Amino acid sequence: MAITNLTQDNFKTVIESNPFVVIDFWAQWCEPCLMFRNTFENVALKHPDVMFCMLDTETHTEIAAYFNIEQIPCVLAIKNQIVIDGIVGVMPSQSFEESLQQWRVFDTTEINRHFSEQDA
């Protein structure tokens, strides 16, 4: 699956319509971001069941601010519309794969139950 570039226009739809989203927050001027991009793209190719996205923090400052992104590159894992983890900095492919596997098995059932009870 191709990597989706997130914008103000598509962000909400992408998050709400995909159960597992991994976002790379980056900027064109950020050398570590550019170094990590190849790793991000290669891992994305191996996992077509996961929605991989990139968000340019310079272009979409509102979204980056909403998630309190202060350092880049920053990767956020979102399952069932819940941010479950975030990692800042360049990581080797193996570390990224290991994080992805941990995120894949993360169970949001109790979190969903909690919020369902709050809404009741």
Side-chain angles (χ1 to χ4, degrees):
M1 179 181 291
I3 294 173
T4 300
N5 286 310
L6 293 176
T7 65
Q8 191 72 32
D9 295 333
N10 70 359
F11 189 88
K12 186 175 190 294
T13 302
V14 169
I15 299 302
E16 290 178 350
S17 61
N18 293 282
F20 188 13
V21 181
V22 177
I23 305 171
D24 178 15
F25 289 82
W26 72 287
Q28 187 66 42
W29 54 262
C30 170
E31 190 172 320
C33 296
L34 301 176
M35 289 171 39
F36 179 64
R37 185 177 195 139
N38 193 40
T39 298
F40 190 80
E41 290 173 347
N42 288 335
V43 171
L45 288 173
K46 296 178 188 176
H47 301 277
D49 60 315
V50 178
M51 174 60 79
F52 284 85
C53 304
M54 296 186 76
L55 185 126
D56 184 338
T57 59
E58 292 294 302
T59 306
H60 303 289
T61 55
E62 322 80 33
I63 298 171
Y66 177 81
F67 287 98
N68 297 314
I69 304 299
E70 296 179 355
Q71 295 177 314
I72 52 176
C74 177
V75 175
L76 290 186
I78 302 174
K79 281 189 80 173
N80 302 317
Q81 301 177 44
I82 301 165
V83 176
I84 61 169
D85 197 12
I87 298 174
V88 174
V90 175
M91 61 188 124
S93 184
Q94 181 178 347
S95 297
F96 188 33
E97 286 278 359
E98 289 168 3
S99 293
L100 187 64
Q101 294 311 318
Q102 291 172 0
W103 299 335
R104 185 182 296 282
V105 299
F106 187 90
D107 186 2
T108 61
T109 303
E110 287 300 311
I111 297 169
N112 292 331
R113 183 186 58 73
H114 171 77
F115 286 112
S116 293
E117 290 173 0
Q118 297 295 318
D119 290 341

